[in-house]
Amino acid sequence: MKYKAIFFDRDNTMTYFTKEKELWRDQTISAWSGKPLDLPYEKMMKLFGLAAEGREPWYTNLDDEREFFKRYYKYLLICEGVKEDVEARAELLLNELWCNGDRALFPETVEVLEYFSSHGYKMGVISDTSPSLEYTLQQLGIAKYFTSFTASSLVGAYKPNPIIFNAALNAQGVTAQESIYVDDYKPEADGAREQGFTTFLIDRSGKNTDKWTIRNLKELIDFAEKEMNKSDIRLHIPAFEELWYRQKLLGDADTMSYNKGYDLNFDGYDNETGCIDFPKEDWQGWYDYFIGCEPERWYAYIVANGEFIGEVNVHENKEMNWYDMGIVIEAKHRGKGYAVTALKRLLEQAFDNLGAKAVHNDFEDIRDAAVKTHLAAGFKEYKREKGILELLITKEQYEKQK
């Protein structure tokens, strides 16, 4: 996968300001002042300067920010000619407007974040904003998708200054060339592109129509899917002499850790590591059983950019009228988005070539990464019992998503 990370702007990209709060503010202050509230950008910035009261930076944490905005509302009321109960009224405005339902998510935001999370992307937010960046996203239920929150107030630079972009890249341990970025403000999108990001401008009005402009965040999924299809991820039936890789895979403790601790009564299984012995003297019997035995069963290596990175298999379950499957990605290749594409390749084989009516898998329901991967490939929850999750995709469901 070429891209390892994706970064989002917050306001007007993932979120928008709720009109109800703005209307309440305007009507409330107007009722106190006896005149309509007029708050152009220049006036607001002047009030910010007053609220700073000489502090530089204006705030460095949530407590600082809360006090800053209380002062801001106080100066706003004074500017509007409000003279009575200024402190109490400023407190009321703060409690009603600061990080209290003032933002909402665009309809597609969660779906898009789920997609990139399930495909192994590192995810961050870059925003010209205050220390409450992470807090506001927690309130909206989407902070869990991100592992970095880069706010201009904390790094001392606004977009499109390279300082803020570099801070975000360093937080994720990636380069700009490995990263996607999306912003609703053209100068900031252009600034990220100059740094080397693959950058999209989101313009929901549809006025801009160039190649790197999108109207909906879901178009990022389309781009990522096309890029994934460009990468060399394929399934390869191994030759006998290539079984060294399966021996290596089953003997790697990091890869097989998911398999440890079970009471499995067969030769070669290590309960403490999850590893399974696969000595050369066993290769021929295994090979004769799995290779060239379609449609009963099918096995292949996963190959990414010319390198073996894991294995997949399916085998017919006549009693249940489905195919059971398995997939193992070598530990060092996990988190790179390979698993979803490999699963889709396996489904192509099962449905298009083996004649499967459904494909089934089951594992512990606490394996969140595995659950997300299967759901992203099109599987649906079939049954959940005693900590085991069963997932299934039917031929009809597969055809609909092709």
Side-chain angles (χ1 to χ4, degrees):
M1 182 172 65
K2 175 182 177 181
Y3 297 105
K4 296 180 179 179
I6 184 166
F7 296 89
F8 295 81
D9 174 48
R10 180 187 61 184
D11 297 332
N12 299 315
T13 298
M14 296 187 294
T15 72
Y16 62 91
F17 291 101
T18 54
K19 294 294 184 183
E20 294 80 6
K21 287 288 185 177
E22 191 173 290
L23 180 62
W24 178 88
R25 179 202 66 187
D26 293 355
Q27 291 177 341
T28 300
I29 295 177
S30 294
W32 292 338
S33 67
K35 63 181 182 180
L37 174 64
D38 181 33
L39 190 57
Y41 179 78
E42 294 79 10
K43 181 177 178 180
M44 181 174 64
M45 294 307 295
K46 182 178 180 181
L47 291 169
F48 281 164
L50 291 172
E53 294 183 344
R55 295 172 175 82
E56 189 62 40
W58 293 350
Y59 28 56
T60 58
N61 55 52
L62 284 176
D63 290 337
D64 286 351
E65 182 181 342
R66 181 179 173 84
E67 290 302 315
F68 172 88
F69 276 100
K70 183 177 179 180
R71 294 193 300 271
Y72 165 76
Y73 288 123
K74 180 184 74 172
Y75 284 113
L76 173 59
L77 293 176
I78 293 171
C79 181
E80 292 302 298
V82 177
K83 297 180 180 179
E84 297 180 0
D85 302 321
V86 171
E87 292 288 345
R89 286 172 168 175
E91 183 76 27
L92 174 63
L93 291 173
L94 176 73
N95 292 335
E96 184 66 28
L97 299 172
W98 183 75
C99 299
N100 183 18
D102 55 335
R103 290 179 176 85
L105 298 174
F106 285 107
E108 78 278 12
T109 297
V110 171
E111 178 184 351
V112 172
L113 298 182
E114 278 284 352
Y115 172 87
F116 285 101
S117 175
S118 68
H119 282 71
Y121 283 74
K122 296 181 177 182
M123 298 170 64
V125 186
I126 309 174
S127 183
D128 284 345
T129 190
S130 52
S132 59
L133 172 60
E134 181 176 359
Y135 180 53
T136 60
L137 298 182
Q138 288 173 347
Q139 291 182 315
L140 292 167
I142 61 172
K144 61 185 180 182
Y145 294 106
F146 302 102
T147 51
S148 67
F149 304 85
T150 308
S152 58
S153 61
L154 299 181
V155 300
Y158 292 91
K159 295 179 289 185
N161 191 311
I163 291 174
I164 189 170
F165 291 121
N166 287 331
L169 293 170
N170 290 337
Q172 294 289 1
V174 295
T175 66
Q177 289 72 25
E178 296 170 328
S179 305
I180 300 171
Y181 179 64
V182 58
D183 201 305
D184 70 298
Y185 186 44
K186 192 173 187 304
E188 295 175 358
D190 290 344
R193 187 173 296 111
E194 290 172 4
Q195 287 293 108
F197 288 81
T198 295
T199 302
F200 290 89
L201 172 70
I202 184 163
D203 177 7
R204 297 178 185 273
S205 72
K207 292 179 181 178
N208 291 291
T209 58
D210 67 73
K211 175 183 177 182
W212 300 107
T213 298
I214 58 176
R215 294 188 65 178
N216 186 298
L217 290 176
K218 289 178 71 172
E219 293 178 57
L220 294 172
I221 296 178
D222 296 336
F223 173 80
E225 286 287 306
K226 290 177 182 177
E227 288 298 306
M228 185 67 73
N229 289 334
K230 289 179 184 177
S231 62
D232 180 22
I233 299 177
R234 57 189 176 86
L235 302 183
H236 165 73
I237 298 174
F240 180 82
E241 58 270 19
E242 291 175 325
L243 291 185
W244 63 265
Y245 177 71
R246 187 165 196 270
Q247 183 183 56
K248 171 190 172 185
L249 192 69
L250 297 181
D252 182 69
D254 289 337
T255 297
M256 299 301 293
S257 60
Y258 75 92
N259 198 42
K260 66 183 179 181
Y262 294 101
D263 186 19
L264 302 180
N265 187 25
F266 64 82
D267 292 339
Y269 171 69
D270 188 327
N271 177 275
E272 293 185 0
T273 66
C275 294
I276 300 171
D277 287 340
F278 189 49
K280 285 189 176 181
E281 54 265 31
D282 291 348
W283 288 11
Q284 191 64 60
W286 181 92
Y287 197 81
D288 292 343
Y289 181 80
F290 271 100
I291 305 303
C293 294
E294 301 86 348
E296 287 83 9
R297 48 192 165 270
W298 189 83
Y299 175 92
Y301 287 165
I302 306 166
V303 181
N305 303 313
E307 180 181 3
F308 298 149
I309 67 162
E311 65 175 16
V312 292
N313 72 85
V314 289
H315 59 274
E316 188 176 13
N317 185 328
K318 294 183 179 179
E319 180 181 351
M320 299 304 298
N321 199 27
W322 65 41
Y323 276 73
D324 286 306
M325 61 142 292
I327 180 171
V328 177
I329 302 290
E330 191 176 350
K332 68 180 182 179
H333 295 294
R334 290 172 184 163
K336 299 179 180 180
Y338 294 137
V340 176
T341 302
L343 271 178
K344 290 181 177 180
R345 301 279 190 268
L346 181 61
L347 294 178
E348 290 172 7
Q349 177 67 25
F351 289 118
D352 296 343
N353 298 330
L354 301 180
K357 295 181 179 178
V359 176
H360 169 270
N361 200 6
D362 60 74
F363 43 80
E364 297 81 2
D365 59 9
I366 61 173
R367 290 173 57 188
D368 292 339
V371 174
K372 287 183 178 180
T373 296
H374 282 70
L375 294 178
F379 283 79
K380 307 296 182 185
E381 183 172 332
Y382 175 70
K383 185 165 63 173
R384 189 188 298 257
E385 185 176 351
K386 296 181 180 179
I388 299 298
L389 175 65
E390 294 190 47
L391 294 157
L392 189 77
I393 180 171
T394 64
K395 171 77 168 178
E396 182 181 6
Q397 290 167 338
Y398 165 74
E399 292 292 343
K400 285 182 179 180
Q401 73 176 19
K402 283 177 69 176

